[in-house]
Amino acid sequence: MRAVATALKYAKGLFIAAKELNKVKEFGEELENLATGLKGYPEILQALQSPIYPPDIKQEILQEILSYFKVDPEIERFLKLLVERRRIQFLEEIVAMYQALLDEELGRARGEVITAFPISDDERVELERALQTLLKKEVILEAKVDPEIIGGVKVKVGDYILDGTLKSQLEKFKEIIIKGV
């Protein structure tokens, strides 16, 4: 719980600064690129979080990362602050909360589409457009594959859930047969 509160505090602080600088989208994209890129190198995040390494070594590691990712000076200062205050371990949560704040600001909704087999980008985009018409806001879907649903599609966007999976239908049939409902 404390981690969530800490991450939210930093995400809101950065978001307020971004609004003042009129860079909310840019900061969001840079943070997401950075967080996605660092996911592939957990040892780097571990080194930045570790109490074993002195702060100057951590700042050098961060500087190497920043030279690769090319971020705004404000994002650079923000990341240095996270390392300095030993909050870099919350980076993933901060990025997620920042994206939520950005989505709210832009009237967007994020969700997921779950299928038994991979869908193409064209199919995902078509589904996003259909949901945009239905929900009256921009929708961004993350495609996931779950073979256990057998077939069909399940969509979750906020509180909106559309479950057209074969697994769900079979469970309903089973309930009807067992309970006679």
Side-chain angles (χ1 to χ4, degrees), residues 115-140:
T115 55
F117 303 98
I119 62 171
S120 69
D121 284 343
D122 290 343
E123 292 169 324
R124 182 186 47 78
V125 168
E126 189 176 329
L127 189 55
E128 286 175 345
R129 286 189 190 133
L131 288 167
Q132 184 174 339
T133 302
L134 180 70
L135 300 174
K136 309 283 188 235
K137 60 173 64 173
E138 182 184 356
V139 175
I140 299 170

Short mmCIF file of all heavy atoms in Angstrom, two decimals, residues 115-140:
data_model
loop_
_atom_site.label_atom_id
_atom_site.label_comp_id
_atom_site.label_asym_id
_atom_site.label_seq_id
_atom_site.Cartn_x
_atom_site.Cartn_y
_atom_site.Cartn_z
N THR A 115 -7.66 -13.49 -26.59
CA THR A 115 -8.10 -14.47 -27.57
C THR A 115 -7.31 -15.77 -27.38
O THR A 115 -6.27 -15.77 -26.72
CB THR A 115 -7.87 -13.95 -29.01
OG1 THR A 115 -6.50 -13.60 -29.15
CG2 THR A 115 -8.76 -12.76 -29.31
N ALA A 116 -7.83 -16.84 -27.95
CA ALA A 116 -7.13 -18.13 -27.84
C ALA A 116 -5.92 -18.16 -28.77
O ALA A 116 -4.96 -18.89 -28.52
CB ALA A 116 -8.08 -19.27 -28.17
N PHE A 117 -5.97 -17.37 -29.83
CA PHE A 117 -4.89 -17.34 -30.81
C PHE A 117 -4.52 -15.87 -31.05
O PHE A 117 -5.35 -14.98 -30.87
CB PHE A 117 -5.34 -17.98 -32.13
CG PHE A 117 -5.81 -19.40 -31.94
CD1 PHE A 117 -7.15 -19.69 -31.83
CD2 PHE A 117 -4.88 -20.42 -31.86
CE1 PHE A 117 -7.58 -20.99 -31.64
CE2 PHE A 117 -5.29 -21.73 -31.67
CZ PHE A 117 -6.64 -22.02 -31.56
N PRO A 118 -3.30 -15.60 -31.44
CA PRO A 118 -2.90 -14.20 -31.68
C PRO A 118 -3.78 -13.52 -32.74
O PRO A 118 -4.18 -14.15 -33.71
CB PRO A 118 -1.46 -14.32 -32.19
CG PRO A 118 -0.98 -15.67 -31.78
CD PRO A 118 -2.20 -16.54 -31.71
N ILE A 119 -4.07 -12.24 -32.50
CA ILE A 119 -4.81 -11.46 -33.50
C ILE A 119 -3.83 -10.52 -34.17
O ILE A 119 -2.79 -10.18 -33.60
CB ILE A 119 -6.00 -10.68 -32.88
CG1 ILE A 119 -5.53 -9.66 -31.84
CG2 ILE A 119 -7.02 -11.64 -32.30
CD1 ILE A 119 -6.63 -8.72 -31.37
N SER A 120 -4.19 -10.08 -35.37
CA SER A 120 -3.31 -9.16 -36.11
C SER A 120 -3.49 -7.74 -35.56
O SER A 120 -4.47 -7.44 -34.87
CB SER A 120 -3.65 -9.20 -37.59
OG SER A 120 -4.92 -8.62 -37.81
N ASP A 121 -2.56 -6.88 -35.89
CA ASP A 121 -2.68 -5.47 -35.50
C ASP A 121 -3.91 -4.84 -36.14
O ASP A 121 -4.59 -4.01 -35.51
CB ASP A 121 -1.42 -4.69 -35.89
CG ASP A 121 -0.25 -4.98 -34.96
OD1 ASP A 121 -0.48 -5.50 -33.85
OD2 ASP A 121 0.88 -4.68 -35.36
N ASP A 122 -4.23 -5.22 -37.37
CA ASP A 122 -5.42 -4.70 -38.05
C ASP A 122 -6.69 -5.09 -37.30
O ASP A 122 -7.60 -4.27 -37.14
CB ASP A 122 -5.49 -5.21 -39.49
CG ASP A 122 -4.42 -4.59 -40.38
OD1 ASP A 122 -3.86 -3.55 -39.99
OD2 ASP A 122 -4.16 -5.15 -41.46
N GLU A 123 -6.75 -6.33 -36.83
CA GLU A 123 -7.93 -6.78 -36.07
C GLU A 123 -8.04 -6.03 -34.74
O GLU A 123 -9.12 -5.64 -34.33
CB GLU A 123 -7.84 -8.29 -35.82
CG GLU A 123 -7.99 -9.12 -37.09
CD GLU A 123 -7.63 -10.58 -36.89
OE1 GLU A 123 -6.69 -10.89 -36.12
OE2 GLU A 123 -8.28 -11.41 -37.55
N ARG A 124 -6.90 -5.82 -34.09
CA ARG A 124 -6.91 -5.08 -32.82
C ARG A 124 -7.38 -3.64 -33.04
O ARG A 124 -8.21 -3.13 -32.31
CB ARG A 124 -5.51 -5.10 -32.20
CG ARG A 124 -5.43 -4.39 -30.85
CD ARG A 124 -4.01 -4.30 -30.32
NE ARG A 124 -3.04 -3.86 -31.30
CZ ARG A 124 -2.85 -2.60 -31.69
NH1 ARG A 124 -3.58 -1.64 -31.18
NH2 ARG A 124 -1.94 -2.29 -32.59
N VAL A 125 -6.87 -3.01 -34.09
CA VAL A 125 -7.25 -1.63 -34.39
C VAL A 125 -8.74 -1.55 -34.73
O VAL A 125 -9.43 -0.62 -34.30
CB VAL A 125 -6.37 -1.06 -35.54
CG1 VAL A 125 -6.93 0.25 -36.06
CG2 VAL A 125 -4.93 -0.90 -35.07
N GLU A 126 -9.24 -2.52 -35.48
CA GLU A 126 -10.67 -2.54 -35.82
C GLU A 126 -11.52 -2.66 -34.56
O GLU A 126 -12.54 -1.99 -34.42
CB GLU A 126 -10.93 -3.71 -36.78
CG GLU A 126 -12.33 -3.70 -37.35
CD GLU A 126 -12.52 -4.81 -38.37
OE1 GLU A 126 -11.55 -5.18 -39.05
OE2 GLU A 126 -13.65 -5.31 -38.46
N LEU A 127 -11.08 -3.50 -33.64
CA LEU A 127 -11.80 -3.66 -32.38
C LEU A 127 -11.73 -2.37 -31.56
O LEU A 127 -12.72 -1.96 -30.94
CB LEU A 127 -11.20 -4.84 -31.60
CG LEU A 127 -11.94 -5.30 -30.36
CD1 LEU A 127 -13.40 -5.63 -30.66
CD2 LEU A 127 -11.24 -6.52 -29.77
N GLU A 128 -10.58 -1.71 -31.56
CA GLU A 128 -10.44 -0.43 -30.84
C GLU A 128 -11.42 0.60 -31.39
O GLU A 128 -12.05 1.33 -30.63
CB GLU A 128 -9.01 0.09 -30.97
CG GLU A 128 -8.00 -0.65 -30.12
CD GLU A 128 -6.57 -0.20 -30.35
OE1 GLU A 128 -6.28 0.49 -31.36
OE2 GLU A 128 -5.71 -0.56 -29.53
N ARG A 129 -11.56 0.65 -32.71
CA ARG A 129 -12.49 1.61 -33.33
C ARG A 129 -13.93 1.31 -32.95
O ARG A 129 -14.71 2.22 -32.65
CB ARG A 129 -12.33 1.59 -34.85
CG ARG A 129 -11.08 2.25 -35.33
CD ARG A 129 -11.07 2.40 -36.84
NE ARG A 129 -9.75 2.81 -37.27
CZ ARG A 129 -9.08 2.28 -38.26
NH1 ARG A 129 -9.60 1.32 -38.98
NH2 ARG A 129 -7.89 2.70 -38.58
N ALA A 130 -14.29 0.03 -32.94
CA ALA A 130 -15.65 -0.35 -32.56
C ALA A 130 -15.93 0.03 -31.11
O ALA A 130 -17.00 0.56 -30.79
CB ALA A 130 -15.85 -1.85 -32.77
N LEU A 131 -14.96 -0.21 -30.25
CA LEU A 131 -15.13 0.13 -28.83
C LEU A 131 -15.15 1.64 -28.63
O LEU A 131 -15.87 2.15 -27.76
CB LEU A 131 -14.02 -0.50 -28.00
CG LEU A 131 -14.13 -2.01 -27.84
CD1 LEU A 131 -12.84 -2.60 -27.29
CD2 LEU A 131 -15.30 -2.37 -26.94
N GLN A 132 -14.39 2.37 -29.44
CA GLN A 132 -14.39 3.83 -29.36
C GLN A 132 -15.79 4.37 -29.66
O GLN A 132 -16.27 5.27 -28.98
CB GLN A 132 -13.38 4.39 -30.35
CG GLN A 132 -13.23 5.89 -30.29
CD GLN A 132 -12.10 6.38 -31.18
OE1 GLN A 132 -11.21 5.62 -31.55
NE2 GLN A 132 -12.14 7.64 -31.52
N THR A 133 -16.44 3.79 -30.65
CA THR A 133 -17.80 4.21 -30.99
C THR A 133 -18.75 3.89 -29.84
O THR A 133 -19.60 4.70 -29.47
CB THR A 133 -18.26 3.49 -32.28
OG1 THR A 133 -17.33 3.80 -33.32
CG2 THR A 133 -19.65 3.92 -32.68
N LEU A 134 -18.60 2.72 -29.27
CA LEU A 134 -19.47 2.27 -28.18
C LEU A 134 -19.26 3.07 -26.90
O LEU A 134 -20.21 3.50 -26.26
CB LEU A 134 -19.23 0.77 -27.92
CG LEU A 134 -20.06 0.14 -26.82
CD1 LEU A 134 -21.52 0.04 -27.25
CD2 LEU A 134 -19.51 -1.22 -26.46
N LEU A 135 -17.99 3.28 -26.53
CA LEU A 135 -17.68 3.91 -25.25
C LEU A 135 -17.51 5.43 -25.34
O LEU A 135 -17.33 6.10 -24.34
CB LEU A 135 -16.41 3.29 -24.66
CG LEU A 135 -16.50 1.77 -24.40
CD1 LEU A 135 -15.14 1.23 -23.96
CD2 LEU A 135 -17.56 1.47 -23.36
N LYS A 136 -17.52 5.96 -26.56
CA LYS A 136 -17.39 7.41 -26.80
C LYS A 136 -16.08 7.97 -26.26
O LYS A 136 -16.01 9.07 -25.71
CB LYS A 136 -18.56 8.18 -26.19
CG LYS A 136 -19.92 7.67 -26.54
CD LYS A 136 -20.32 8.08 -27.91
CE LYS A 136 -21.77 7.70 -28.15
NZ LYS A 136 -21.98 6.89 -29.30
N LYS A 137 -15.01 7.18 -26.35
CA LYS A 137 -13.67 7.65 -25.99
C LYS A 137 -12.65 6.79 -26.71
O LYS A 137 -12.96 5.68 -27.13
CB LYS A 137 -13.44 7.63 -24.49
CG LYS A 137 -13.57 6.26 -23.84
CD LYS A 137 -13.16 6.22 -22.39
CE LYS A 137 -14.03 7.04 -21.49
NZ LYS A 137 -13.72 6.87 -20.06
N GLU A 138 -11.45 7.35 -26.86
CA GLU A 138 -10.39 6.59 -27.50
C GLU A 138 -10.06 5.37 -26.65
O GLU A 138 -9.96 5.45 -25.43
CB GLU A 138 -9.14 7.47 -27.65
CG GLU A 138 -8.00 6.77 -28.33
CD GLU A 138 -6.73 7.62 -28.38
OE1 GLU A 138 -6.76 8.78 -27.95
OE2 GLU A 138 -5.72 7.08 -28.85
N VAL A 139 -9.89 4.23 -27.30
CA VAL A 139 -9.59 2.99 -26.60
C VAL A 139 -8.26 2.43 -27.12
O VAL A 139 -8.04 2.38 -28.32
CB VAL A 139 -10.71 1.95 -26.80
CG1 VAL A 139 -10.34 0.62 -26.16
CG2 VAL A 139 -12.03 2.46 -26.24
N ILE A 140 -7.42 2.04 -26.19
CA ILE A 140 -6.14 1.42 -26.52
C ILE A 140 -6.15 0.02 -25.92
O ILE A 140 -6.31 -0.14 -24.70
CB ILE A 140 -4.95 2.23 -25.96
CG1 ILE A 140 -4.97 3.63 -26.57
CG2 ILE A 140 -3.64 1.52 -26.24
CD1 ILE A 140 -4.00 4.59 -25.93
#
